[in-house]
Amino acid sequence: MRKVEERFLDYVAYDTASDGGSCQVPSTAKQKILGKRLAEEMEKLGLKEVEMDEFGYVYGFLPGSGEWKEEPALGLIAHMDTSPAASGANVKPSVVLYRGGDIPLGESGISLKPEVFPFLKDYVGQRLIVTDGTTLLGADDKAGIAEILAACEYFTEHPEISHRGIAVCFTPDEEIGRGPDHFNLERFQAPVAYTVDGGKIGELDLENFNAATAAVTIRGVNIHSGYAKNKMKNAVLIAHQLISMLPPAEAPAHTEGYEGFFHVSKVTANEAEAAIEIGLRDFEKADFEK
């Protein structure tokens, strides 16, 4: 049986970053490369009805066994794409035995520090997988994929263990908010499902926030700086003014729990034009719409 760690280190070698500016489905064709590989692996593990559809969603079904054979299936879902906010290509992971203190990330000059990430203290003495600091690692959510397939393999190698059917789906474009767009409920065959993603072992999230992205384009009036008085409308400065009008306390650095926030995630600008991307999040629909 392949270990979860071995599977994970294999999957992170695939660059599967999604692209919020793309209109195709999936947003990047490279996601289908990993999807094809996963479909082949699922067939080898004995899953039935394995398919990667035209939208890049990978489905499979592990039949139930024993006394649970006829019970409704349980769904397990993970996403294949990684965030476009940082490179997911040429990932160079390292496995370290954590003994406490800072964890240097390759030769990048970046370290994971307990004062910034206090949860590190919970993992002293454990093997951790980290990036070299120049790319994403891809644990979000290739760790979930590795865990789901390792569980399926365990059940196929231990037929004496009774279990209900397991419907599996690996989706594209979760990071850009399009993961559910082409999810085929009839094809999936499970009335209830869990998404295997981030969080501590044993943690279960049963709620979700409302989310959207605001894309703001500002078109300025660019005049030669020597003749600009009373004429220039600098898009860079207008963008700065707009961002400064957002409530300072309603940013991710100052919110927790059920508090909504504005997250300015990207700004590109010159005097003539500026573009701002703002993530909008709130648990309460009325506050979200406001």
Side-chain angles (χ1 to χ4, degrees):
M1 178 173 174
R2 295 181 68 194
K3 295 181 179 179
V4 174
E5 179 183 306
E6 180 186 350
R7 291 181 185 277
F8 174 71
L9 293 175
D10 183 6
Y11 303 152
V12 298
Y14 291 80
D15 177 10
T16 57
S18 46
D19 178 5
S22 169
C23 294
Q24 65 185 36
V25 182
S27 64
T28 53
K30 56 191 176 183
Q31 294 180 67
K32 281 190 168 184
I33 298 176
L34 177 58
K36 182 175 183 293
R37 161 67 194 281
L38 295 175
E40 293 171 349
E41 191 167 347
M42 290 161 72
E43 288 182 334
K44 291 179 181 178
L45 290 177
L47 275 72
K48 309 300 182 183
E49 304 172 40
V50 175
E51 174 195 16
M52 181 175 69
D53 70 13
E54 61 182 305
F55 303 115
Y57 292 70
V58 181
Y59 299 91
F61 187 79
L62 183 66
S65 66
E67 61 182 308
W68 289 91
K69 184 175 182 179
E70 302 302 326
E71 295 297 321
L74 176 70
L76 296 177
I77 301 171
H79 64 91
M80 299 180 290
D81 66 314
T82 58
S83 170
S87 174
N90 301 312
V91 175
K92 300 179 178 64
S94 298
V95 182
V96 298
L97 178 60
Y98 184 50
R99 302 185 184 279
D102 296 354
I103 304 176
L105 301 181
E107 299 178 359
S108 66
I110 301 172
S111 296
L112 297 178
K113 300 177 180 294
E115 57 265 33
V116 180
F117 304 104
F119 56 78
L120 282 172
K121 68 180 184 299
D122 298 331
Y123 301 100
V124 174
Q126 297 189 33
R127 288 162 57 87
L128 304 181
I129 304 175
V130 298
T131 176
D132 69 351
T134 64
T135 70
L136 290 175
L137 178 62
D140 181 5
D141 185 24
K142 290 166 184 171
I145 296 173
E147 291 160 358
I148 290 170
L149 290 186
C152 288
E153 183 173 23
Y154 183 84
F155 282 128
T156 58
E157 292 189 353
H158 294 272
E160 73 279 5
I161 299 177
S162 297
H163 64 86
R164 66 182 66 222
I166 300 174
V168 175
C169 184
F170 300 130
T171 71
D173 290 341
E174 187 269 358
E175 293 288 351
I176 57 174
R178 303 179 195 169
D181 287 3
H182 298 279
F183 183 78
N184 189 330
L185 281 172
E186 293 182 3
R187 173 71 178 79
F188 190 55
Q189 303 184 53
V192 176
Y194 292 92
T195 295
V196 183
D197 205 319
K200 293 182 179 180
I201 292 176
E203 183 177 84
L204 179 64
D205 295 324
L206 48 81
E207 298 174 292
N208 197 12
F209 46 69
N210 300 287
T213 298
V216 182
T217 301
I218 300 166
R219 293 185 175 87
V221 177
N222 190 14
I223 304 292
H224 188 287
S225 56
Y227 305 93
K229 186 174 181 179
N230 298 326
K231 299 182 182 72
M232 177 181 284
K233 305 295 182 183
N234 190 328
V236 177
L237 299 181
I238 297 171
H240 170 71
Q241 184 180 11
L242 174 62
I243 293 170
S244 68
M245 292 171 66
L246 297 174
E250 295 181 38
H254 305 293
T255 56
E256 62 182 351
Y258 288 93
E259 296 173 330
F261 58 75
F262 300 88
H263 176 44
V264 181
S265 58
K266 185 177 181 180
V267 179
T268 56
N270 56 35
E271 304 98 314
E273 185 170 292
I276 310 170
E277 291 185 8
I278 307 172
L280 310 174
R281 303 285 187 273
D282 209 297
F283 278 89
E284 299 298 331
K285 187 175 181 181
D287 292 337
F288 172 72
E289 290 173 346
K290 178 181 177 181

